[in-house]
Every structure is written in C-alpha cells, then in structure tokens.
Amino acid sequence: MLAIERTGQFKGRYHVLHGAISPVNGVRPDDLKIRQLVARVNGHDITLGELSREVNQYVMANRLGPDSGLSIPTIQRTVLDRMIATELMLQRAREIGLVPAPAEIEARLDTLRGQAGAPEDFRLMLTVQNLTESLLRDRLAEHIVTEK
C-alpha cells in the first residue's frame, strides 16, 4: 500500500485485512473474526472472498508451498496491494472511456477455450481456478484494459 500512497492518486480509505487464511492449516476465511470488507478503493469494495480467491490463484500461479519462505499475511498484503493498484487503474480507464469491445473479450475467451481443448477441460480449468465464466470474462476485460 505504501507504493500506492506515494502516488498521491488514491483519495479513499484503506481497510486492511488482519488475520491469516491458511487452507493448509484448516483456517478458512469464515474462521476469521473479521468483517468481509478488506479494502475500499474510491467506493469499490474488495471483499474477503475476492482476496481469498486472488491469494489462492497467486499461490497456485507462483507454485508457492510451505517452503517458499513467504508467510500467508505477506502474500495477502502483496495480493491486496496489487488488487488496489489494478482497481485504481481500472477506475482511471473508465474515467477516460477506455473499455474493451465485447469482441475483444470473446476472442480471448475463445483462445482460452482452444488452449483447454475439450469443453469439459475448459470447465475443469475454471473450477480449479475457482472461477466462473462470468468472472473470467471480467478478468479478461480488466487484462485487456491494463494492456492498453
């Protein structure tokens, strides 16, 4: 969050997650005695569920295990900082009218379907990544915007 603070662009309030989600140790988000809101970025809420999903994807994408040397709170802070920075970028993109065309999103989705192979493999990929097709579309739209 310090990097975001230094930009001077964020005028909102931070709500920082305090707790440690640890699926390996059986600690789920519901087990923590904290509110569901972990951050609010200029009126956009980032929930504990969203953070958990992003943390899980980060851990899987980076193949982090118990021997990685990174604590769950460190990973959570890293992922939350990235989520806040992305949301700030997306808000700015909306302000200037930068939105991906539906055809761009569909083309990316078709590419992913092709890479997965059979439709059931695509559905399995979504399940493993804890995504729905709708959520994937949103992610693709965000990715396209951040590329521009």
Side-chain angles (χ1 to χ4, degrees):
M1 276 193 272
L2 292 175
I4 293 166
E5 230 4 63
R6 282 188 217 117
T7 68
Q9 298 299 307
F10 180 64
K11 305 295 183 215
R13 207 180 290 172
Y14 296 108
H15 295 269
V16 180
L17 175 67
H18 294 285
I21 300 167
S22 178
V24 172
N25 295 319
V27 180
R28 300 179 353 238
D30 295 342
D31 298 325
L32 300 179
K33 305 298 181 211
I34 58 176
R35 298 183 320 174
Q36 290 294 311
L37 178 68
V38 294
R40 180 168 288 139
V41 183
N42 297 325
H44 174 82
D45 292 349
I46 297 174
T47 66
L48 181 59
E50 292 166 331
L51 177 61
S52 286
R53 185 174 41 252
E54 292 292 324
V55 165
N56 288 336
Q57 289 175 352
Y58 181 87
V59 167
M60 287 188 321
N62 292 288
R63 298 179 180 170
L64 299 176
D67 299 334
S68 70
L70 295 173
S71 68
I72 295 294
T74 298
I75 295 169
Q76 288 172 329
R77 281 190 299 276
T78 299
V79 171
L80 182 58
D81 286 349
R82 188 185 69 195
M83 291 174 75
I84 291 169
T86 299
E87 181 55 33
L88 287 169
M89 190 178 347
L90 293 171
Q91 288 177 8
R92 180 65 182 136
R94 284 190 293 273
E95 285 174 12
I96 63 173
L98 183 60
V99 293
E104 288 179 279
I105 299 168
E106 281 305 312
R108 298 281 178 100
L109 193 54
D110 287 345
T111 299
L112 290 174
R113 282 187 184 117
Q115 290 172 347
E120 57 271 10
D121 293 332
F122 179 71
R123 286 190 297 277
L124 178 61
M125 179 207 63
L126 291 175
T127 301
V128 167
Q129 302 233 357
N130 198 22
L131 291 171
T132 63
E133 192 167 317
S134 176
L135 248 165
L136 178 58
R137 284 176 193 278
D138 292 346
R139 293 269 174 85
L140 291 171
E142 292 173 1
H143 189 70
I144 292 166
V145 166
T146 57
E147 286 176 341
K148 295 180 177 189

